[in-house]
Structures are given as structure tokens and as C-alpha cells.
Amino acid sequence: MNDEKLMTLLHEFKQLGSTSMGGVTRCVYDDNWSLAQKKYVAVADDYGLYCFCDKMGTIYAATSDHISHKPVILTGSHMDTVVNGGWLDGIYGVVSSVLAVGQLFQKFGAPNIPLCAVSFSEEEGSRFDATFTGSRYLTHQLDDAVFNLKDRTGATFNQERQNRVTELRQVMPIGIPDFKIRSYIELHIEQGNTLDQSPANIAVVTDIVGQKRLLITTKGISNHAGTTQMSGRVDAMRKAVDLMTKIYSSLELMKGLRFTIGKIIAFPNVANVIPEKVDIALDIRHIDQKLLDHAFEQVTQIINAVGATYCLTTNVVATPMDYQLQQQVIRSTKQEKLVGERLFSGAGHDAQVIANSKAPSVMIFVPSQNGVSHVPQENTAEFDLLAGQRVLKRVLYDLAYCS
């Protein structure tokens, strides 16, 4: 019955933001995001969990309504998706954790250490040029500059946030998440192919790569595309192409570095007008923080050389996961008669932000079929989804009820 509940809910959440191409678009503060957060509250209410929302729209579902300034065991993931993304990224951990906490509370009553499931408002940065805003707010690492960011339509982060939090206030109280994180456990799909090519069902994450994301801007002068001679042009797109060529040539020589230019926006973005400005989003990652910092220095030198500017929108250091919690996951995996292994994560996660606040954190991975994620083809076998949730529940039981 519990297994059926998990799969049913995952498919129901998939419909909240489903696209014509088979993917899911549920960006922070959009209509489907709001519907999904409200649905999350309804699920938590069914188990008698106490829900409240913080000012970012993150929702907490706890086994007690008296967790202020108390140590809690936190578990969850993020509600948002990338544009036309997969049906499991983030939401698998969100649904699995609230079910695990609810089912344990329903069966065993109040734990010795309060459990709290969390549905973080945002992690992906797919609408505004900022990532991990939910977990960064919780851990007091959020820069106030985030509130002034605008999406492609010109809507500001702060206004959209206020509108949605006002909506959520109708179904639960708004509160301050001032509890102490005793430990954080996040269940997630791997999003790579290591587990898919391994006999293991479960992986415990040892480290998460450092990540820097830059919004780079080149500037020119807009003019008519047909009447402006080539020799007299100040073309922001030509500068952008030169910049990107230099970045590719420089960074591809660095072993182990993963970098992506995944978003380019031209202004005014009209075919017969020379661009006056081009914004480029660059994502760089490495497991070795020193090498990541070196790559960042190389990029900034290139940016300065071509006369462009940049702002750093994401800056998360390479982060080890808590060893004791890793051991707990390994024990729980064996107790469930599953095969486990250790690996590092090439994707950034909320667990990384929380670990950087000095709270012990760990991640549990299940296989991603063919190593595919952030696209409609993202999938994980039902057996593996259920196995991951069982391991999570056992870890939470041992930490909360046996301590």
C-alpha cells in the first residue's frame, strides 16, 4: 500500500506542469509550482503532520508544532524543475520524504528527535538567475540581491515570491524556520550513468562538486541590419561569439572540469537589428575546489580581455558529505538487502548548501536510466524508486527513534 502511494503521487505531481513534449515545467512561483506546493500540504495533512511555510515559499511538514530552536532531522528536496525537464528530479525526494516521515509518525508516534520533511521552493535557477534560494534562505546564505532579479517577462523575484506566499498563507501558517538542523538526508535520482552501469541499487554520496555560475554580458550598439556597414558595427553578438570561443578553447584543456554555456539571450532579439546586448550563462563545476577556482580565474581574464562584464549568480564550494551519515546509509542499504556503493555527485544539490552551513548532511542516490536527466526521457525503474524510499525511511527511523 505504501509502495502504491509513492508511485501514484509521483505520477500525479507529473501532471502539474506537464508539457506537450512529455516533460515537466514547474518553475519557482509559476501556477503549477503553486498547485504542487498546495498538494504537498494536503499529503502531509493526511498523516497529521504540522505544516508551515517560510517567506520563500518553502514548506515544512513536521512531527511536532514545537520545533522552534530545537534540533530536528530534516529530509526532502526541491519542488521546482528545469524547463521541459524530467518527472523525478527533485520531486522524487520531496514525495518520498514526506511519505517516510508521515508513515513513521503514523506507525510509531512522536519520535525522540523531531522529524521534518521539506519541499524547498527553488533549486534549479530555471526562472531567475539564482540557484538554491530555498536552502540558502534556510541556512542564512542568501544574498539580498536575489530579490531584485527579473525573469524573461520582466517579473521580479520579490513580487512573484510575495504573491505566492500570500496564496500559500491561505492553507497554512507562515513561520520562521528557526529550528536547528541535527542532520539532513536527501533522496535523489543520480542524474548520471554510474549506478545504471553498476550492479548497485543505491549509492551514498561522498562529495558534491563545487559549482560557479556566471551571467556574462557583452555590449554593442543597436542599428539596422541592412544599412549598417560591417566595418562600422559594434556588435554585441560578435563579441559574445569571440568570448565563447575563447572560453571553450581555454576550459576544455582542464582535466575533470565540466562547463556549459546553456543560455544565450540577445537584446532586442530581432533578426534585422544588430544586438546591443547579449547575456550568456556559463556553468562550471569540479570536485577539486582549487581547480574550480583556477578555471574561474581563467574565465574572468577572458571576460576582461574582450571588454565584457559578469556577475556571479551561483558560488557553491566542493563539499564532502558527513561520514557518519554515509555509514548509516550503508547499514540501512544492507538491512534492506540491497547493493550499495559510494560515488560523488556531479550535480549540485540542496544537501551541499546545508552541509556548508555546518549541518551534517548526506545524499542517497537511485539509478537514472541511461544516465539521462533534465529532459523528458528522465526515468528510473519502479523497483529502484521504491528501494530508495525504503532506505530513506530506515535511516530516518534509526536516527529519530533509536537515538
Side-chain angles (χ1 to χ4, degrees), residues 82 93 97 134 140 145 156 206 290:
V82 298
S97 59
H140 310 288
T156 67
T206 59
K290 290 182 179 179

Side-chain angles (χ1 to χ4, degrees), residues 135-185:
S135 55
R136 283 199 282 158
Y137 171 76
L138 172 64
T139 55
H140 310 288
Q141 301 178 67
L142 186 66
D143 190 323
D144 286 344
V146 164
F147 295 102
N148 297 320
L149 293 174
K150 294 182 180 181
D151 68 8
R152 288 192 178 204
T153 70
T156 67
F157 184 100
N158 197 41
Q159 189 60 58
E160 294 295 287
R161 177 193 66 82
Q162 290 176 338
N163 292 342
R164 292 309 185 185
V165 171
T166 298
E167 267 186 49
L168 293 173
R169 189 191 296 269
Q170 299 171 10
V171 296
M172 82 197 99
I174 306 301
I176 300 172
D178 55 359
F179 50 79
K180 299 176 181 177
I181 304 173
R182 180 185 175 100
S183 55
Y184 175 70
I185 304 95

Side-chain angles (χ1 to χ4, degrees), residues 107-128:
K107 184 174 182 179
F108 300 106
N112 297 326
I113 302 169
L115 285 165
C116 183
V118 61
S119 175
F120 284 116
S121 55
E122 185 278 330
E123 184 251 24
E124 297 286 6
S126 53
R127 181 177 181 186
F128 301 93

Side-chain angles (χ1 to χ4, degrees), residues 77-376:
S77 196
H78 58 96
M79 180 56 78
D80 68 319
T81 72
V82 298
V83 175
N84 198 38
W87 71 296
L88 295 170
D89 180 8
I91 194 65
Y92 169 54
V94 166
V95 174
S96 293
S97 59
V98 74
L99 289 181
V101 170
Q103 289 159 4
L104 289 171
F105 185 53
Q106 200 171 66
K107 184 174 182 179
F108 300 106
N112 297 326
I113 302 169
L115 285 165
C116 183
V118 61
S119 175
F120 284 116
S121 55
E122 185 278 330
E123 184 251 24
E124 297 286 6
S126 53
R127 181 177 181 186
F128 301 93
D129 284 311
T131 54
F132 309 112
T133 54
S135 55
R136 283 199 282 158
Y137 171 76
L138 172 64
T139 55
H140 310 288
Q141 301 178 67
L142 186 66
D143 190 323
D144 286 344
V146 164
F147 295 102
N148 297 320
L149 293 174
K150 294 182 180 181
D151 68 8
R152 288 192 178 204
T153 70
T156 67
F157 184 100
N158 197 41
Q159 189 60 58
E160 294 295 287
R161 177 193 66 82
Q162 290 176 338
N163 292 342
R164 292 309 185 185
V165 171
T166 298
E167 267 186 49
L168 293 173
R169 189 191 296 269
Q170 299 171 10
V171 296
M172 82 197 99
I174 306 301
I176 300 172
D178 55 359
F179 50 79
K180 299 176 181 177
I181 304 173
R182 180 185 175 100
S183 55
Y184 175 70
I185 304 95
E186 183 170 358
L187 176 62
H188 210 281
I189 57 170
E190 182 199 343
Q191 301 181 281
N193 62 3
T194 302
L195 275 177
D196 192 51
Q197 297 177 356
S198 162
N201 315 100
I202 298 289
V204 59
V205 176
T206 59
D207 302 86
I208 302 177
V209 294
Q211 179 183 1
K212 294 180 185 287
R213 192 175 296 182
L214 297 83
L215 184 64
I216 307 169
T217 300
T218 61
K219 291 187 176 180
I221 299 174
S222 280
N223 210 337
H224 195 292
T227 60
T228 308
Q229 295 186 23
M230 297 303 294
S231 60
R233 296 185 178 208
V234 184
D235 187 340
M237 183 60 76
R238 184 162 189 168
K239 290 182 181 179
V241 171
D242 182 40
L243 172 78
M244 290 187 286
T245 299
K246 287 180 167 64
I247 287 173
Y248 274 104
S249 297
S250 176
L251 297 191
E252 66 187 2
L253 299 176
M254 299 184 185
K255 186 176 181 181
L257 185 75
R258 297 171 185 177
F259 68 97
T260 305
I261 297 172
K263 184 166 82 170
I264 304 170
I265 305 174
F267 299 88
N269 205 30
V270 178
N272 59 354
V273 178
I274 299 166
E276 66 180 23
K277 184 175 81 162
V278 176
D279 285 340
I280 304 161
L282 170 66
D283 181 300
I284 53 177
R285 310 180 189 211
H286 206 290
I287 194 68
D288 186 321
Q289 187 63 39
K290 290 182 179 179
L291 291 177
L292 178 63
D293 291 339
H294 177 63
F296 175 68
E297 289 174 8
Q298 292 287 99
V299 170
T300 56
Q301 288 174 12
I302 294 169
I303 291 171
N304 293 332
V306 301
T309 59
Y310 75 93
C311 63
L312 190 61
T313 60
T314 296
N315 185 21
V316 184
V317 299
T319 310
M321 296 288 95
D322 183 79
Y323 182 74
Q324 295 303 320
L325 288 176
Q326 289 181 48
Q327 292 298 95
Q328 182 67 60
V329 172
I330 292 294
R331 285 194 296 271
S332 296
T333 300
K334 290 179 179 177
Q335 288 167 343
E336 288 294 330
K337 296 180 171 49
L338 297 166
V339 179
E341 68 171 78
R342 300 177 190 266
L343 55 80
F344 76 87
S345 174
H349 295 283
D350 291 304
Q352 184 172 21
V353 174
I354 294 173
N356 285 328
S357 74
K358 308 304 180 186
S361 304
V362 75
M363 293 196 73
I364 304 167
F365 277 173
V366 295
S368 293
Q369 291 181 351
N370 300 315
V372 171
S373 185
H374 278 188
V375 293

